[in-house]
Amino acid sequence: MTLAQAKRGQRLVIAAIPNPTIRAQAIRFGIAEGSEVECYEKLPAGPIVVSRGKQEIAIGRRLAENIEVKPA
């Protein structure tokens, strides 16, 4: 399952970020493979907002489609 398919309020673990460019971007925001995040908000036809600790990050839908997750 990808981050774009997550439901609001769902706790997730980042399983894989196959694209090295996207992986580097995610690491800058503190999201790496094995990180636990929560799908905070899912805007229709817009970004996915994930929270990790007290930080909230909006991830574009196309970017979220390239991040594989699994339920926590």
Side-chain angles (χ1 to χ4, degrees):
M1 146 174 169
T2 66
L3 184 57
Q5 298 167 326
K7 294 183 179 15
R8 186 176 181 209
Q10 191 174 17
R11 303 237 8 118
L12 306 160
V13 174
I14 306 297
I17 307 173
N19 185 315
T21 306
I22 295 170
R23 187 180 316 121
Q25 272 184 308
I27 289 171
R28 284 190 208 114
F29 292 119
I31 298 173
E33 294 174 0
S35 297
E36 190 171 315
V37 297
E38 179 183 351
C39 181
Y40 183 74
E41 186 69 57
K42 190 172 179 181
L43 302 169
I48 312 295
V49 181
V50 296
S51 65
R52 183 168 189 267
K54 295 186 181 200
Q55 182 180 27
E56 293 175 2
I57 303 162
I59 299 175
R61 188 70 58 135
R62 288 188 136 179
L63 189 63
E65 290 170 352
N66 292 302
I67 299 174
E68 296 174 26
V69 296
K70 58 185 177 183

mmCIF file with all atom_site columns, all heavy atoms in Angstrom, residues 42-48 59-62:
data_model
loop_
_atom_site.group_PDB
_atom_site.id
_atom_site.type_symbol
_atom_site.label_atom_id
_atom_site.label_alt_id
_atom_site.label_comp_id
_atom_site.label_asym_id
_atom_site.label_entity_id
_atom_site.label_seq_id
_atom_site.pdbx_PDB_ins_code
_atom_site.Cartn_x
_atom_site.Cartn_y
_atom_site.Cartn_z
_atom_site.occupancy
_atom_site.B_iso_or_equiv
_atom_site.pdbx_formal_charge
_atom_site.auth_seq_id
_atom_site.auth_comp_id
_atom_site.auth_asym_id
_atom_site.auth_atom_id
_atom_site.pdbx_PDB_model_num
ATOM 1  N N   . LYS A 1 42 ? -6.069  14.175 4.931   1.00 0.00 ? 42 LYS A N   1
ATOM 2  C CA  . LYS A 1 42 ? -5.986  13.784 3.529   1.00 0.00 ? 42 LYS A CA  1
ATOM 3  C C   . LYS A 1 42 ? -6.914  14.710 2.756   1.00 0.00 ? 42 LYS A C   1
ATOM 4  O O   . LYS A 1 42 ? -8.130  14.587 2.846   1.00 0.00 ? 42 LYS A O   1
ATOM 5  C CB  . LYS A 1 42 ? -6.408  12.320 3.387   1.00 0.00 ? 42 LYS A CB  1
ATOM 6  C CG  . LYS A 1 42 ? -6.138  11.748 2.046   1.00 0.00 ? 42 LYS A CG  1
ATOM 7  C CD  . LYS A 1 42 ? -6.392  10.250 2.047   1.00 0.00 ? 42 LYS A CD  1
ATOM 8  C CE  . LYS A 1 42 ? -6.131  9.702  0.670   1.00 0.00 ? 42 LYS A CE  1
ATOM 9  N NZ  . LYS A 1 42 ? -6.380  8.284  0.598   1.00 0.00 ? 42 LYS A NZ  1
ATOM 10 N N   . LEU A 1 43 ? -6.338  15.670 2.069   1.00 0.00 ? 43 LEU A N   1
ATOM 11 C CA  . LEU A 1 43 ? -7.124  16.664 1.350   1.00 0.00 ? 43 LEU A CA  1
ATOM 12 C C   . LEU A 1 43 ? -7.537  16.110 -0.013  1.00 0.00 ? 43 LEU A C   1
ATOM 13 O O   . LEU A 1 43 ? -6.718  15.500 -0.698  1.00 0.00 ? 43 LEU A O   1
ATOM 14 C CB  . LEU A 1 43 ? -6.326  17.950 1.185   1.00 0.00 ? 43 LEU A CB  1
ATOM 15 C CG  . LEU A 1 43 ? -5.874  18.576 2.506   1.00 0.00 ? 43 LEU A CG  1
ATOM 16 C CD1 . LEU A 1 43 ? -4.880  19.689 2.261   1.00 0.00 ? 43 LEU A CD1 1
ATOM 17 C CD2 . LEU A 1 43 ? -7.070  19.090 3.273   1.00 0.00 ? 43 LEU A CD2 1
ATOM 18 N N   . PRO A 1 44 ? -8.809  16.302 -0.405  1.00 0.00 ? 44 PRO A N   1
ATOM 19 C CA  . PRO A 1 44 ? -9.258  15.769 -1.693  1.00 0.00 ? 44 PRO A CA  1
ATOM 20 C C   . PRO A 1 44 ? -8.448  16.357 -2.849  1.00 0.00 ? 44 PRO A C   1
ATOM 21 O O   . PRO A 1 44 ? -8.331  17.565 -2.965  1.00 0.00 ? 44 PRO A O   1
ATOM 22 C CB  . PRO A 1 44 ? -10.721 16.189 -1.782  1.00 0.00 ? 44 PRO A CB  1
ATOM 23 C CG  . PRO A 1 44 ? -11.074 16.793 -0.468  1.00 0.00 ? 44 PRO A CG  1
ATOM 24 C CD  . PRO A 1 44 ? -9.823  17.028 0.294   1.00 0.00 ? 44 PRO A CD  1
ATOM 25 N N   . ALA A 1 45 ? -7.898  15.492 -3.670  1.00 0.00 ? 45 ALA A N   1
ATOM 26 C CA  . ALA A 1 45 ? -7.077  15.893 -4.818  1.00 0.00 ? 45 ALA A CA  1
ATOM 27 C C   . ALA A 1 45 ? -5.938  16.821 -4.423  1.00 0.00 ? 45 ALA A C   1
ATOM 28 O O   . ALA A 1 45 ? -5.460  17.609 -5.214  1.00 0.00 ? 45 ALA A O   1
ATOM 29 C CB  . ALA A 1 45 ? -7.941  16.539 -5.894  1.00 0.00 ? 45 ALA A CB  1
ATOM 30 N N   . GLY A 1 46 ? -5.485  16.710 -3.184  1.00 0.00 ? 46 GLY A N   1
ATOM 31 C CA  . GLY A 1 46 ? -4.397  17.548 -2.695  1.00 0.00 ? 46 GLY A CA  1
ATOM 32 C C   . GLY A 1 46 ? -3.396  16.728 -1.912  1.00 0.00 ? 46 GLY A C   1
ATOM 33 O O   . GLY A 1 46 ? -3.329  15.515 -2.054  1.00 0.00 ? 46 GLY A O   1
ATOM 34 N N   . PRO A 1 47 ? -2.625  17.393 -1.071  1.00 0.00 ? 47 PRO A N   1
ATOM 35 C CA  . PRO A 1 47 ? -1.566  16.696 -0.345  1.00 0.00 ? 47 PRO A CA  1
ATOM 36 C C   . PRO A 1 47 ? -2.079  15.815 0.792   1.00 0.00 ? 47 PRO A C   1
ATOM 37 O O   . PRO A 1 47 ? -3.213  15.960 1.247   1.00 0.00 ? 47 PRO A O   1
ATOM 38 C CB  . PRO A 1 47 ? -0.705  17.831 0.209   1.00 0.00 ? 47 PRO A CB  1
ATOM 39 C CG  . PRO A 1 47 ? -1.644  18.979 0.336   1.00 0.00 ? 47 PRO A CG  1
ATOM 40 C CD  . PRO A 1 47 ? -2.633  18.819 -0.780  1.00 0.00 ? 47 PRO A CD  1
ATOM 41 N N   . ILE A 1 48 ? -1.205  14.918 1.231   1.00 0.00 ? 48 ILE A N   1
ATOM 42 C CA  . ILE A 1 48 ? -1.427  14.089 2.403   1.00 0.00 ? 48 ILE A CA  1
ATOM 43 C C   . ILE A 1 48 ? -0.616  14.743 3.520   1.00 0.00 ? 48 ILE A C   1
ATOM 44 O O   . ILE A 1 48 ? 0.580   14.986 3.350   1.00 0.00 ? 48 ILE A O   1
ATOM 45 C CB  . ILE A 1 48 ? -0.899  12.649 2.185   1.00 0.00 ? 48 ILE A CB  1
ATOM 46 C CG1 . ILE A 1 48 ? -1.349  12.065 0.852   1.00 0.00 ? 48 ILE A CG1 1
ATOM 47 C CG2 . ILE A 1 48 ? -1.240  11.760 3.359   1.00 0.00 ? 48 ILE A CG2 1
ATOM 48 C CD1 . ILE A 1 48 ? -2.800  11.841 0.692   1.00 0.00 ? 48 ILE A CD1 1
ATOM 49 N N   . ILE A 1 59 ? 2.678   16.244 2.177   1.00 0.00 ? 59 ILE A N   1
ATOM 50 C CA  . ILE A 1 59 ? 3.372   15.529 1.099   1.00 0.00 ? 59 ILE A CA  1
ATOM 51 C C   . ILE A 1 59 ? 2.438   15.489 -0.102  1.00 0.00 ? 59 ILE A C   1
ATOM 52 O O   . ILE A 1 59 ? 1.298   15.039 0.013   1.00 0.00 ? 59 ILE A O   1
ATOM 53 C CB  . ILE A 1 59 ? 3.748   14.102 1.550   1.00 0.00 ? 59 ILE A CB  1
ATOM 54 C CG1 . ILE A 1 59 ? 4.691   14.175 2.751   1.00 0.00 ? 59 ILE A CG1 1
ATOM 55 C CG2 . ILE A 1 59 ? 4.379   13.320 0.404   1.00 0.00 ? 59 ILE A CG2 1
ATOM 56 C CD1 . ILE A 1 59 ? 5.027   12.841 3.363   1.00 0.00 ? 59 ILE A CD1 1
ATOM 57 N N   . GLY A 1 60 ? 2.930   15.963 -1.222  1.00 0.00 ? 60 GLY A N   1
ATOM 58 C CA  . GLY A 1 60 ? 2.127   15.977 -2.448  1.00 0.00 ? 60 GLY A CA  1
ATOM 59 C C   . GLY A 1 60 ? 1.646   14.585 -2.822  1.00 0.00 ? 60 GLY A C   1
ATOM 60 O O   . GLY A 1 60 ? 2.296   13.585 -2.539  1.00 0.00 ? 60 GLY A O   1
ATOM 61 N N   . ARG A 1 61 ? 0.507   14.528 -3.455  1.00 0.00 ? 61 ARG A N   1
ATOM 62 C CA  . ARG A 1 61 ? -0.122  13.256 -3.810  1.00 0.00 ? 61 ARG A CA  1
ATOM 63 C C   . ARG A 1 61 ? 0.796   12.393 -4.682  1.00 0.00 ? 61 ARG A C   1
ATOM 64 O O   . ARG A 1 61 ? 0.931   11.203 -4.456  1.00 0.00 ? 61 ARG A O   1
ATOM 65 C CB  . ARG A 1 61 ? -1.439  13.555 -4.531  1.00 0.00 ? 61 ARG A CB  1
ATOM 66 C CG  . ARG A 1 61 ? -2.330  12.393 -4.824  1.00 0.00 ? 61 ARG A CG  1
ATOM 67 C CD  . ARG A 1 61 ? -2.977  11.789 -3.616  1.00 0.00 ? 61 ARG A CD  1
ATOM 68 N NE  . ARG A 1 61 ? -3.782  12.715 -2.863  1.00 0.00 ? 61 ARG A NE  1
ATOM 69 C CZ  . ARG A 1 61 ? -4.972  12.467 -2.385  1.00 0.00 ? 61 ARG A CZ  1
ATOM 70 N NH1 . ARG A 1 61 ? -5.523  11.304 -2.591  1.00 0.00 ? 61 ARG A NH1 1
ATOM 71 N NH2 . ARG A 1 61 ? -5.611  13.346 -1.668  1.00 0.00 ? 61 ARG A NH2 1
ATOM 72 N N   . ARG A 1 62 ? 1.449   12.989 -5.675  1.00 0.00 ? 62 ARG A N   1
ATOM 73 C CA  . ARG A 1 62 ? 2.344   12.216 -6.558  1.00 0.00 ? 62 ARG A CA  1
ATOM 74 C C   . ARG A 1 62 ? 3.537   11.657 -5.793  1.00 0.00 ? 62 ARG A C   1
ATOM 75 O O   . ARG A 1 62 ? 3.971   10.544 -6.038  1.00 0.00 ? 62 ARG A O   1
ATOM 76 C CB  . ARG A 1 62 ? 2.831   13.082 -7.710  1.00 0.00 ? 62 ARG A CB  1
ATOM 77 C CG  . ARG A 1 62 ? 1.754   13.361 -8.711  1.00 0.00 ? 62 ARG A CG  1
ATOM 78 C CD  . ARG A 1 62 ? 2.348   14.041 -9.890  1.00 0.00 ? 62 ARG A CD  1
ATOM 79 N NE  . ARG A 1 62 ? 1.783   13.414 -11.069 1.00 0.00 ? 62 ARG A NE  1
ATOM 80 C CZ  . ARG A 1 62 ? 2.059   13.773 -12.287 1.00 0.00 ? 62 ARG A CZ  1
ATOM 81 N NH1 . ARG A 1 62 ? 2.919   14.734 -12.490 1.00 0.00 ? 62 ARG A NH1 1
ATOM 82 N NH2 . ARG A 1 62 ? 1.499   13.181 -13.297 1.00 0.00 ? 62 ARG A NH2 1
#
